[in-house]
Amino acid sequence: MTGYTMLRNGGAGNGGQTCMLRWSNRIRLTWLSFTLFIILVFFPLIAHYYLTTLDEADEAGKRIFGPRAGSELCEVKHVLDLCRIRESVSEELLQLEAKRQELNSEVAKLNLKIEACKKSIENAKQDLLQLKNVISQTEHSYKELVAQNQPKLSLPIRLLPEKDEAGLPPPKAQRGCRLHNCFDYSRCPLTSGFPVYVYDSDQFAFGSYLDPLVKQAFQATARANVYVTDNADIACLYVILVGEMQEPAVLRPADLEKQLSSLPHWRRDGHNHVILSLSRKLDTQNLLYNVSTGRAMVAQSTFYAAQYRPGFDLVVSPLVHAMSEPNFMEIPPQVPVKRKYLFTFQGEKIESLRSSLQEARSFEEEMEGDPPADYDDRIIATLKAVQDSKLDQVLVEFTCKSQPRASLPTEWALCGEREDRLELLKLSTFALIITPGDPRLLVSSGCATRLFEALEVGAVPVVLGEHVQLPYQDVLQWSEAALVVPKPRVTEVHFLLRSLSDSDLLAMRRQGRFLWETYFSTTDSIFSTVLAVIRTRIQIPAAPIREEAAAEIPHRSGKAAGTDPNMADTGDLDLGPVETEPPYASPKYLRNFTLTVTDLYRSWNSAPGPFHLFPHTPFDPVLPSEAKFLGSGTGFRPIGGGAGGSGKEFQAALGGNVPREQFTVVMLTYEREEVLMNSLERLNGLPYLNKVVVVWNSPKLPSEDLVWPDIGVPIMVVRTEKNSLNNRFLPWNEIETEAILSIDDDAHLRHDEIMFGFRVWREARDRIVGFPGRYHAWDLPHQAWLYNSNYSCELSMVLTGAAFFHKYYAYLYSYVMPQAIRDMVDEYINCEDIAMNFLVSHITRKPPIKVTSRWTFRCPGCPQALSHDDSHFHERHKCINFFVKVYGYMPLLYTQFRVDSVLFKTRLPHDKTKCFKFI
């Protein structure tokens, strides 16, 4: 019991101690936790307090946790970097703040300027409105003054003659017929258009006697002539063909006269009629001799003095090429100037003058005084003496080796066949033509044939006998192509021929070739010349030449094209005032009714030069608006270069003598739509541009979904009949400006380059003005001409892939230039640019003008053109040599002249610095 109690008490005491230990442990943990909480919470607060009050302490050592020096804080590496960043950012912030304040100041100033500019703009608008009103009033006043001083006259009403005409008073004698007393001007008003009615010879008895070849050729020519009409009631002129007769045909003069009088519109005396007799054979007789022709004009190759009426009848050339065109490959070149023989003559005189006078009693009855002297014996002796002297190589033969050709009395008959005569003339510098011994035989078919053959092969004619009547002598200046020497001066002929210089000889030969091609070579040229002579005599202007009707391809225009800054930016180059007016055409030609009088001899007789319609001057109609080019140097244009002699600054005028003018871009393309669209977009904003004519040379039409750019001017897409490079130069009726810029679809020209080229062309309107230059060269080993495209200081051609020219030349190229040249262009699909350069140089006798570009002519990245083919250059070699054959000489002229703008500041390559620049 006692033991149990003790254990119980002892056990109780130990348990109390354990509880105390547990309680004391809990107290210690709580105190420890509280202590740690105090340390972790309050100590940072106290530290933070001391740190934040670091700058407020007066002395560093007053606080337990006093602040340390800045150098000591930055002793740590990363703290030092942070300090540097802080200093840099602070500096930048200070700089930005300064800039911000500066910009704010500038913005304030600009706002003030903007307000001032707005006020200036408003004032300028008011001034502009006032100026427009002043200009409008001035233009109105100017038009009123022009209307007062130069009133526009409406065309007179054409009065048709009555069928039963009273007739003109008859002249005292038939030989006294002239225009004033034998021609009815009432049938030919100025505005009539010169209608011509051509009789059908088959409807009359004498028509069955006509040479079929002559009749067929004449009928074909009459059908194609622009003046021929089927309405005889309104005709101004009536033409009837009466010769040449067939060999077995014999028609008595009385029968022919009776048949002529029975013509439906003969009207008793045949006024306003032309009786035409074309001789194709050498033995052609004077069909109309002893035939009373009344008041009808006679046009033939043989005339007696008793028959010919000066200023009324016409001497025409013989019809050698009836139904064929001249073969240019058989015509010798015009160079070298001197040939093997100085002069030649072959002929035989069948009958002397004395025997002719004894047989022709009708002639003796008309003679007054002593019979004319016969100089033929003296001529024969003189020419034989020159031949025997051996001073020059000449060939004269007065007896034919074979039977001489038939001829008229006292006429020198031709020897041999035509081919043999031409071969001899090709070796002759001069060709002697001895007129008939009887001076009353004014001209004969044999003499006309000698003249025709001499001009054809380039032998300068020397006509012995000043009494002769040469073809169209009243309108052609024969002294520029032939020498007419009186027979008594035959002893001086040798001296005269040797005294001519080579330049004079070449000029006469070239003029003779021009006359032959224009007036003698074909049936069309003869008939057209006859009509042109009569039309010129009665002072009726030529009919307007036809223009090529443009068949437009419908196309859809898109949004306005953007302006390529590389194309439109002119930098510091200002080439004149930029036109802001809508497109306007060149002024129309207003001299049609006076051109016949003022420019008669200049147009008929000019050798290839800038003032003739080569080669069909007289009968090709006057160009409607382009003919102004003919008178560009005659002073009738208004002067726009300055006022009162003060002149104008370069940047204030466009140059030239026309105050305002635009040009048309003609762009030839073939199935390169993307390239074409890019080229058209580059024209956006181009000053002085009137319109763009795109010549679509492909039979395949453009894509229907193709969107054409809107460049601010009309774009005319023209469809062509065939793929031909000649289409580039067709005179499209949509071209309303004189200036044409022909440009390839891959050409890459800046606006300032185009404007500068236009300025140069305005001061040289008769030339080709362009950018890429080429030249021709003589190949000594092969004795032929070569085309050279290497860069050189010398040039003779300007490619029409980027060139200005006058629309006048488009007419000449398409309608007047020999067809053989256009055929070769179509055959090779090449050389059209060379052909145009040949044409212009042949007409003007001037080289083209090259304008310097900024070396960006070709479009970079565009598909390759035909010119990159090797065969391209071989074909151009052939073209040049063929064109020389056609023209008879090399018309291209070399030049080192180049027009450059000092404002272009062109950098020349080192190998080109030796070339001269003419500024």
Side-chain angles (χ1 to χ4, degrees):
M1 196 59 190
T2 305
Y4 172 78
T5 302
M6 291 178 64
L7 288 171
R8 185 177 181 183
N9 293 334
N14 292 334
Q17 293 178 356
T18 303
C19 291
M20 288 296 293
L21 291 174
R22 292 178 179 174
W23 182 78
S24 62
N25 289 335
R26 292 177 179 174
I27 292 175
R28 284 195 295 267
L29 290 174
T30 302
W31 176 253
L32 181 61
S33 300
F34 179 76
T35 305
L36 291 175
F37 175 78
I38 294 298
I39 294 172
L40 294 177
V41 174
F42 288 96
F43 185 79
L45 292 176
I46 295 171
H48 176 70
Y49 172 78
Y50 278 102
L51 290 176
T52 55
T53 57
L54 180 63
D55 296 332
E56 299 177 359
D58 296 332
E59 296 180 2
K62 289 183 177 181
R63 300 181 184 272
I64 298 175
F65 301 96
R68 299 186 181 182
S71 59
E72 295 179 0
L73 292 176
C74 295
E75 290 178 356
V76 184
K77 184 176 182 180
H78 65 279
V79 177
L80 182 61
D81 293 338
L82 292 176
C83 292
R84 291 176 179 174
I85 293 173
R86 176 187 175 188
E87 294 175 358
S88 175
V89 171
S90 300
E91 293 179 359
E92 292 181 359
L93 290 175
L94 293 174
Q95 293 177 359
L96 290 175
E97 178 64 21
K99 289 183 179 180
R100 185 182 67 82
Q101 294 177 359
E102 183 180 354
L103 291 176
N104 288 335
S105 176
E106 292 181 358
V107 168
K109 293 179 180 178
L110 291 176
N111 288 331
L112 295 176
K113 290 183 178 180
I114 289 174
E115 294 298 329
C117 290
K118 287 181 178 180
K119 294 180 181 179
S120 300
I121 291 174
E122 292 297 329
N123 296 333
K125 287 182 179 180
Q126 295 296 329
D127 295 341
L128 179 61
L129 183 60
Q130 294 178 1
L131 289 175
K132 287 183 178 179
N133 294 332
V134 173
I135 291 174
S136 178
Q137 294 175 1
T138 305
E139 289 180 351
H140 183 71
S141 302
Y142 173 74
K143 291 179 180 179
E144 289 181 350
L145 292 175
V146 171
Q148 293 175 4
N149 297 315
Q150 297 179 353
K152 291 186 178 180
L153 301 178
S154 60
L155 295 177
I157 300 176
R158 183 181 180 188
L159 301 177
L160 298 178
E162 298 179 358
K163 294 184 178 180
D164 298 330
E165 299 177 16
L168 299 172
K172 295 182 180 180
Q174 181 179 340
R175 290 192 58 189
C177 257
R178 300 296 184 268
L179 288 176
H180 69 278
N181 58 3
C182 288
F183 190 85
D184 185 5
Y185 280 89
S186 65
R187 301 195 63 89
C188 307
L190 289 176
T191 58
S192 64
F194 192 60
V196 178
Y197 180 79
V198 179
Y199 288 100
D200 185 2
S201 301
D202 292 333
Q203 297 180 359
F204 307 98
F206 61 83
S208 59
Y209 300 125
L210 293 176
D211 186 331
L213 189 59
V214 174
K215 182 168 59 176
Q216 181 182 0
F218 177 75
Q219 291 174 349
T221 297
R223 285 193 298 268
N225 194 277
V226 67
Y227 297 105
V228 174
T229 179
D230 295 331
N231 190 352
D233 295 333
I234 66 171
C236 165
L237 198 68
Y238 300 86
V239 180
I240 179 67
L241 180 67
V242 299
E244 175 175 57
M245 295 292 180
Q246 301 183 55
E247 290 185 5
V250 177
L251 188 63
R252 294 185 304 171
D255 296 336
L256 179 59
E257 182 177 335
K258 183 178 180 180
Q259 295 183 33
L260 290 176
S261 301
S262 65
L263 293 175
H265 306 282
W266 188 259
R267 297 183 180 91
R268 296 187 299 273
D269 55 8
H271 61 271
N272 290 44
H273 276 66
V274 176
I275 304 175
L276 182 61
S277 178
L278 300 177
S279 60
R280 194 172 66 90
K281 305 181 182 67
L282 298 178
D283 56 350
T284 300
Q285 300 299 316
N286 190 351
L287 181 65
L288 297 174
Y289 186 69
N290 291 329
V291 174
S292 177
T293 58
R295 292 175 176 168
M297 301 179 188
V298 177
Q300 60 182 13
S301 300
T302 302
F303 276 103
Y304 291 109
Q307 180 186 12
Y308 180 72
R309 295 166 292 185
F312 195 74
D313 294 329
L314 288 89
V315 178
V316 300
S317 62
L319 183 59
V320 178
H321 301 287
M323 295 296 295
S324 61
E325 294 287 338
N327 187 355
F328 293 101
M329 301 305 293
E330 296 180 358
I331 299 176
Q334 299 183 24
V335 291
V337 177
K338 299 292 181 61
R339 297 178 178 178
K340 178 179 179 180
Y341 298 107
L342 177 64
F343 63 84
T344 59
F345 177 81
Q346 284 183 326
E348 184 172 343
K349 193 171 183 180
I350 305 300
E351 189 175 4
S352 65
L353 176 62
R354 184 177 300 275
S355 60
S356 174
L357 293 177
Q358 291 176 354
E359 294 179 3
R361 295 182 180 180
S362 59
F363 286 170
E364 290 180 353
E365 295 173 357
E366 298 176 2
M367 287 175 53
E368 296 181 2
D370 297 332
D374 191 353
Y375 290 98
D376 289 350
D377 294 339
R378 185 186 304 177
I379 292 174
I380 294 174
T382 302
L383 296 182
K384 284 186 175 180
V386 174
Q387 184 178 20
D388 296 339
S389 66
K390 307 294 183 180
L391 295 176
D392 289 292
Q393 195 169 359
V394 299
L395 190 151
V396 290
E397 295 178 354
F398 300 103
T399 303
C400 296
K401 298 179 181 178
S402 58
Q403 182 66 24
R405 315 296 292 181
S407 61
L408 296 177
T410 73
E411 181 185 15
W412 286 90
L414 284 88
C415 299
E417 299 295 332
R418 167 176 159 82
E419 291 74 14
D420 298 332
R421 297 195 300 271
L422 291 180
E423 290 300 324
L424 178 61
L425 289 174
K426 290 178 182 179
L427 303 176
S428 307
T429 305
F430 296 94
L432 293 185
I433 301 175
I434 305 176
T435 58
D438 190 346
R440 291 163 299 179
L441 182 57
L442 297 183
V443 63
S444 64
S445 179
C447 287
T449 301
R450 289 181 183 273
L451 180 65
F452 181 95
E453 293 176 350
L455 295 176
E456 182 178 5
V457 297
V460 178
V462 180
V463 182
L464 292 178
E466 79 285 0
H467 67 282
V468 68
Q469 286 292 326
L470 299 178
Y472 322 117
Q473 187 167 332
D474 55 340
V475 291
L476 294 183
Q477 196 73 16
W478 277 104
S479 60
E480 297 179 358
L483 295 174
V484 180
V485 183
K487 284 185 177 181
R489 293 189 180 277
V490 65
T491 56
E492 302 171 330
V493 168
H494 187 207
F495 165 77
L496 179 63
L497 300 186
R498 293 192 66 180
S499 64
L500 289 176
S501 64
D502 290 352
S503 59
D504 292 339
L505 278 176
L506 184 58
M508 296 182 71
R509 184 173 295 167
R510 186 166 57 244
Q511 177 68 5
R513 173 71 175 272
F514 162 73
L515 296 179
W516 176 79
E517 288 183 357
T518 307
Y519 310 115
F520 307 146
S521 58
T522 62
T523 310
D524 178 71
S525 62
I526 295 174
F527 179 61
S528 299
T529 304
V530 169
L531 297 184
V533 171
I534 299 174
R535 179 181 55 76
T536 305
R537 286 176 176 177
I538 62 178
Q539 300 180 1
I540 292 183
I545 195 170
R546 70 181 180 91
E547 292 189 300
E548 200 71 21
E552 184 179 5
I553 300 177
H555 58 280
R556 179 166 54 94
S557 299
K559 62 180 181 179
T563 302
D564 188 350
N566 294 326
M567 294 292 103
D569 180 24
T570 60
D572 56 356
L573 179 60
D574 185 6
L575 292 179
V578 177
E579 297 284 353
T580 58
E581 301 181 41
Y584 54 86
S586 296
K588 297 298 182 181
Y589 184 57
L590 301 176
R591 292 182 60 205
N592 297 58
F593 293 100
T594 57
L595 178 67
T596 308
V597 178
T598 57
D599 294 338
L600 175 63
Y601 281 97
R602 183 177 65 179
S603 61
W604 278 81
N605 301 295
S606 294
F611 299 115
H612 81 284
L613 295 174
F614 166 81
H616 301 285
T617 304
F619 49 86
D620 259 7
V622 176
L623 314 185
S625 61
E626 318 316 321
K628 179 184 293 185
F629 167 68
L630 296 178
S632 61
T634 58
F636 71 89
R637 284 181 177 273
I639 303 299
S646 60
K648 282 195 175 183
E649 296 180 358
F650 179 82
Q651 297 169 335
L654 188 61
N657 291 326
V658 182
R660 43 183 274 176
E661 188 173 17
Q662 293 180 343
F663 62 89
T664 302
V665 167
V666 176
M667 187 177 295
L668 188 72
T669 186
Y670 186 90
E671 297 184 2
R672 297 202 295 180
E673 295 180 353
E674 183 179 358
V675 175
L676 175 64
M677 296 302 108
N678 293 334
S679 296
L680 291 176
E681 289 181 357
R682 287 194 291 269
L683 298 177
N684 185 36
L686 178 61
Y688 311 109
L689 179 59
N690 180 271
K691 70 172 60 172
V692 179
V693 177
V694 177
V695 181
W696 191 264
N697 222 23
S698 171
K700 180 182 176 182
L701 295 179
S703 304
E704 295 182 358
D705 57 347
L706 183 62
V707 179
W708 296 72
D710 182 5
I711 60 175
V713 297
I715 296 179
M716 175 70 64
V717 185
V718 178
R719 184 177 185 179
T720 58
E721 296 180 356
K722 64 176 183 178
N723 178 22
S724 171
L725 293 180
N726 293 316
N727 296 331
R728 179 195 296 271
F729 303 124
L730 284 173
W732 302 105
N733 58 355
E734 292 295 333
I735 301 176
E736 299 177 321
T737 60
E738 297 182 15
I740 296 178
L741 172 57
S742 174
I743 191 169
D744 289 339
D745 58 0
D746 59 351
H748 203 74
L749 290 174
R750 296 168 56 97
H751 288 185
D752 52 350
E753 295 171 341
I754 296 176
M755 292 169 62
F756 184 68
F758 184 45
R759 168 187 290 275
V760 174
W761 178 85
R762 282 168 56 91
E763 307 213 16
R765 306 175 72 88
D766 60 337
R767 315 272 282 274
I768 297 178
V769 177
F771 298 91
R774 301 290 185 266
Y775 66 97
H776 66 289
W778 179 251
D779 184 10
L780 282 175
H782 299 89
Q783 292 295 297
W785 292 103
L786 295 177
Y787 170 83
N788 201 314
S789 62
N790 296 327
Y791 288 106
S792 172
C793 300
E794 198 168 50
L795 62 101
S796 59
M797 293 174 283
V798 167
L799 302 187
T800 54
F804 286 93
F805 62 89
H806 201 286
K807 189 181 178 183
Y808 170 76
Y809 295 122
Y811 292 95
L812 299 186
Y813 184 97
S814 302
Y815 304 141
V816 179
M817 188 179 68
Q819 181 63 36
I821 296 179
R822 293 190 294 271
D823 291 341
M824 191 167 195
V825 171
D826 288 336
E827 178 183 355
Y828 286 154
I829 317 180
N830 198 346
C831 306
E832 84 286 357
D833 47 359
I834 301 178
M836 177 58 82
N837 278 270
F838 266 70
L839 174 66
V840 177
S841 295
H842 174 66
I843 292 174
T844 62
R845 300 308 303 139
K846 298 176 184 178
I849 296 179
K850 174 179 170 54
V851 179
T852 303
S853 62
R854 296 192 178 186
W855 316 100
T856 60
F857 174 62
R858 284 297 173 190
C859 171
C862 291
Q864 280 194 346
L866 296 174
S867 58
H868 292 276
D869 191 358
D870 291 338
S871 62
H872 173 80
F873 293 96
H874 296 289
E875 293 171 352
R876 294 174 84 82
H877 300 329
K878 297 178 182 177
C879 287
I880 286 184
N881 288 280
F882 178 76
F883 296 165
V884 170
K885 277 282 187 180
V886 173
Y887 284 97
Y889 75 111
M890 169 55 75
L892 298 179
L893 300 173
Y894 293 108
T895 181
Q896 292 188 356
F897 182 83
R898 190 187 81 184
V899 181
D900 194 0
S901 172
V902 293
L903 302 181
F904 272 3
K905 300 179 181 178
T906 306
R907 298 179 180 178
L908 294 176
H910 295 294
D911 57 343
K912 303 296 184 297
T913 54
K914 60 183 179 180
C915 298
F916 290 99
K917 290 194 300 181
F918 295 87
I919 301 171

